[in-house]
């Protein structure tokens, strides 16, 4: 249960699970308390990041100013240097966002919310290297995704729609009356809600694109100049803007519903139609079941989850509760049923090896996940990373995993060397052969794996073999 619903079992999480029992633990995860916090050493690293208390509008304006200043430098060499400083600053913000994600995944007590934050980011994927998304991606995860990861799907969908990272990534910032851009409208139906082959037509895509005209980004301090009759229709919240001068006010027919042209209210009406469409309940339930249960989840389970989605008005925690309490989920908990994708492999290895000893440098973890091909915020296309095993279990992937197992298991990876000049690495000794191993994990190993572990010539060697075992890969 811990391995399936968290970022990996470790001694402290197993101890808490045994203390409170399965059902209470599950309720804590599905409905986490509001006052949960990270360990002080993890919290301090996050608090030290410059943009953690800034809003995307302020961040984007500051970077836009820096880009302008760099481009105005006359001397070609100095201009090039200024532009490199600008690019490096954007890269640094993206690395800090990745570090925040990793620290929360490793140490947050609300582990299921962190698993679902990763799932939903992947579902509503944006690519950090398009435009200036690198500087917005951390806020997108922190403010649009995580707060709604276990809440109502309608709130989550609306939060992603109003975030500048999504509007920039899928080009809706360029979508205006007379200059339609259908990118975002298509992906909302194809990926975010109903799914491919669920019955919508090209006419529905065009209608939704027209409904979304004028929904975009504005970083100027002053409001756009509008005709007096349109001024009351303008909506600005941070970097988000609904500009009525760019909106198509004609009536639209969307998925069989007539939507009267009246401004931003049309978007809310369209979202309601999409969220309550039966195809959305089925598509999302299948995605969640694929992530947690099986590459091809049982249809009976998907239907039960979809039914809960419909009756609970898209309550994500309720859908997860239906899944976890199902006989299909119980049957899938046998050892070796799910193959770990790269992110889960790396995070589960670090959680098991170091438990609540907080890493001081997440750069090695970022590097490992990148090398394994599932770098955070790195997927170029809107479909996100594959959730199925076949994408991640090839021989090249295994070779890199064995190398990561050696680095984690030997304690020499640089995780405890703070990022900065003249930093000194603090010694850290991962001890995987502990009570958790003898009281639980050992029982999941085949005789072949146990025989291999007996050949280990040192604790570091034993750790490496254990983290390389077929059982730990699953």
């Amino acid at each position: 249960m811990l391995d399936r619903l968290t970022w990996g079992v470790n001694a402290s999480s197993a101890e808490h699970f045994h203390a409170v029992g399965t059902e209470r633990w599950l309720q804590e995860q599905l409905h986490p308390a509001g006052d949960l916090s990270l360990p002080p050493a993890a919290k301090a690293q996050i608090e030290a990041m410059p943009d953690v208390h800034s809003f995307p509008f302020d961040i984007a304006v500051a970077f836009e100013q820096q880009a302008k200043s760099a481009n105005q430098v006359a001397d070609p060499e100095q201009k090039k240097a200024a532009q490199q400083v600008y690019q490096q600053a954007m890269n640094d913000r993206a690395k800090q966002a990745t570090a925040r994600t990793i620290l929360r995944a490793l140490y947050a007590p609300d582990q299921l919310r962190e698993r679902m934050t990763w799932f939903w980011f992947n579902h509503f994927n944006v690519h950090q290297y398009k435009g200036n998304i690198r500087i917005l991606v951390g806020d997108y995860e922190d403010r649009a995704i995580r707060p709604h990861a276990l809440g109502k799907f309608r709130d989550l969908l609306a939060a992603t729609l109003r975030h500048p990272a999504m509007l920039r990534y899928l080009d809706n910032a360029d979508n205006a009356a007379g200059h339609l851009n259908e990118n975002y409208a298509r992906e909302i139906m194809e990926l975010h809600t109903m799914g491919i082959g669920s019955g919508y037509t090209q006419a529905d895509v065009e209608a939704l694109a027209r409904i979304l005209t004028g929904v975009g980004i504005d970083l100027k301090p002053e409001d756009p100049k509008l005709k007096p009759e349109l001024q009351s229709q303008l909506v600005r919240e941070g970097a988000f803007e609904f500009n009525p001068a760019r909106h198509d006010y004609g009536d639209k027919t969307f998925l069989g519903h007539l939507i009267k042209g009246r401004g931003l209210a049309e978007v809310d009406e369209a979202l309601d139609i999409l969220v309550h469409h039966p195809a959305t309940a089925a598509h999302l339930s299948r995605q969640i079941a694929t992530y947690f249960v099986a590459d091809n989840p049982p249809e009976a389970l998907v239907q039960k989850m979809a039914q809960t989605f419909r009756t609970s008005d898209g309550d994500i925690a309720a859908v997860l509760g239906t899944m976890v309490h199902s006989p299909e989920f119980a049957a899938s908990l046998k050892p070796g049923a799910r193959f770990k994708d790269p992110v889960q492999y790396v995070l589960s290895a670090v959680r098991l090896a170091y438990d609540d000893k907080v890493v001081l440098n997440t750069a090695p973890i970022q590097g490992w996940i990148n090398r394994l091909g599932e770098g955070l915020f790195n997927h170029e296309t809107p479909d996100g990373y594959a959730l199925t095993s076949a994408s991640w279990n090839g021989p090249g992937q295994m070779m890199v995993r064995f190398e990561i197992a050696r680095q984690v298991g030997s304690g020499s990876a640089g995780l405890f060397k703070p990022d900065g000049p003249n930093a000194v690495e603090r010694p850290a000794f991962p001890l995987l052969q502990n009570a958790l191993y003898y009281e639980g994990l050992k029982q999941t190993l085949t005789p072949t794996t146990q025989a291999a572990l007996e050949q280990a010539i040192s604790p570091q060697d034993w750790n490496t073999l254990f983290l390389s075992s077929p059982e730990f890969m699953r």
Side-chain angles (χ1 to χ4, degrees):
M1 184 78 85
L2 279 167
D3 236 9
R4 192 66 62 87
L5 297 179
T6 74
W7 282 116
V9 66
N10 55 18
S12 59
S13 64
E15 191 181 333
H16 176 67
F17 184 95
H18 286 305
V20 300
T22 306
E23 195 52 38
R24 185 169 149 206
W25 179 85
L26 185 60
Q27 292 311 315
E28 286 176 358
Q29 293 297 316
L30 289 171
H31 308 285
D35 56 355
L36 294 174
S37 65
L38 292 166
K43 204 172 177 178
Q45 290 179 58
I46 291 175
E47 289 292 324
M49 295 175 186
D51 65 348
V52 77
H53 296 298
S54 306
F55 288 100
F57 181 85
D58 303 322
I59 297 167
V61 166
F63 271 90
E64 202 173 58
Q65 195 53 51
Q66 189 180 348
K68 265 193 197 131
S69 304
N71 289 333
Q72 283 165 355
V73 176
D75 179 273
E77 284 300 308
Q78 288 178 342
K79 183 176 186 171
K80 188 179 170 189
Q83 286 170 336
Q84 282 174 339
V85 168
Y86 167 70
Q87 290 295 333
Q88 187 56 47
M90 289 210 290
N91 290 341
D92 287 345
R93 291 299 168 97
K95 280 185 185 145
Q96 286 165 22
T98 309
R100 287 208 291 281
T101 303
I102 290 168
L103 288 167
R104 289 191 173 114
L106 291 174
Y107 306 112
D110 45 341
Q111 280 286 298
L112 182 55
R113 176 154 51 197
E114 291 305 318
R115 286 290 306 270
M116 290 307 292
T117 298
W118 188 94
F119 171 85
W120 289 123
F121 188 102
N122 196 53
H123 184 83
F124 291 103
N125 184 52
V126 301
H127 182 230
Q128 64 170 326
Y129 292 113
K130 179 167 179 175
N132 67 345
I133 290 175
R134 275 167 290 174
I135 62 173
L136 302 170
V137 76
D139 186 89
Y140 178 64
E141 183 179 272
D142 291 344
R143 290 207 179 95
I145 307 276
R146 184 175 287 102
H148 307 292
L150 293 171
K152 291 289 177 97
F153 178 73
R154 170 74 169 73
D155 296 336
L156 175 62
L157 180 61
T160 58
L161 182 144
R162 283 173 171 256
H163 200 281
M166 178 61 79
L167 295 171
R168 170 73 63 236
Y169 175 60
L170 287 177
D171 306 317
N172 209 78
D174 306 325
N175 183 22
H179 298 278
L180 271 196
N181 188 310
E182 296 176 5
N183 268 12
Y184 185 35
R186 178 172 288 103
E187 303 305 359
I188 284 183
M189 287 196 276
E190 185 176 300
L191 298 173
H192 299 170
T193 58
M194 295 168 63
I196 297 169
S198 53
Y200 63 84
T201 64
Q202 175 56 26
D204 292 316
V205 173
E206 284 171 27
L208 185 55
R210 287 176 61 212
I211 290 165
L212 288 167
T213 50
V215 170
I217 301 166
D218 190 353
L219 299 178
K220 294 183 199 71
E222 66 282 353
D223 287 346
K225 290 188 169 46
L226 298 170
K227 293 175 184 166
E229 64 270 21
L230 291 178
Q231 281 169 1
S232 66
Q233 290 266 317
L234 175 71
V235 176
R236 293 189 73 182
E237 289 169 9
F240 171 84
E241 176 180 79
F242 173 73
N243 185 336
R246 294 167 60 82
H247 183 66
D248 176 343
Y249 275 87
D251 293 346
K252 297 99 179 164
T253 302
F254 177 56
L255 293 170
H257 299 258
L258 176 66
I259 294 188
K260 295 299 243 179
R262 62 195 191 286
L264 188 58
E266 298 169 46
V267 176
D268 285 329
E269 192 178 344
L271 292 190
D272 286 334
I273 292 166
L274 286 166
V275 169
H276 294 115
H277 197 287
T280 297
H283 176 60
L284 296 175
S285 297
R286 183 167 286 105
Q287 295 281 94
I288 293 170
T290 302
Y291 182 49
F292 284 111
V293 182
D295 286 353
N296 293 300
E299 194 56 34
L301 173 63
V302 172
Q303 291 307 323
K304 274 187 275 201
M305 291 166 67
Q307 174 68 19
T308 299
F309 185 95
R310 291 192 296 273
T311 55
S312 69
D313 196 25
D315 186 315
I316 297 160
V319 173
L320 288 167
T322 295
M323 177 188 80
V324 175
H325 288 114
S326 71
E328 293 88 352
F329 183 80
S332 82
L333 287 179
K334 59 184 183 292
R338 288 301 279 138
F339 188 82
K340 293 175 184 175
D341 65 277
V343 174
Q344 197 179 6
Y345 174 73
V346 170
L347 294 175
S348 63
V350 175
R351 271 174 67 81
L352 185 63
Y354 294 109
D355 200 347
D356 48 11
K357 183 179 169 69
V358 176
V359 303
L360 303 176
N361 188 349
T362 62
I365 297 171
Q366 296 188 35
W368 294 330
I369 294 171
N370 288 343
R371 284 186 62 200
L372 288 169
E374 204 180 17
L376 303 179
F377 321 142
N378 273 2
H379 194 73
E380 279 188 50
T381 49
D383 53 353
Y385 290 112
L387 300 173
T388 48
S389 312
S391 309
W392 307 115
N393 60 9
Q397 174 90 198
M398 289 299 107
M399 289 301 292
V400 180
R401 288 191 187 203
F402 297 152
E403 196 183 315
I404 293 166
R406 186 183 58 73
Q407 289 188 284
V408 175
S410 66
S412 62
L415 295 171
F416 295 90
K417 185 176 184 179
D419 202 4
N422 308 320
V424 178
E425 183 154 16
R426 299 181 191 175
F429 302 103
L431 185 64
L432 278 67
Q433 236 175 330
N434 54 18
L436 173 64
Y437 172 72
Y438 288 111
E439 289 165 15
L441 297 178
K442 189 176 182 181
Q443 281 76 56
T444 68
L445 304 179
T446 61
T448 314
T449 297
Q450 292 195 37
L453 290 171
E454 281 162 18
Q455 306 297 310
I457 53 174
S458 68
Q460 290 91 335
D461 193 34
W462 192 97
N463 292 343
T464 301
L465 290 169
F466 182 79
L467 296 176
S468 304
S469 68
E471 290 86 347
F472 191 77
M473 298 285 173
R474 294 176 174 277

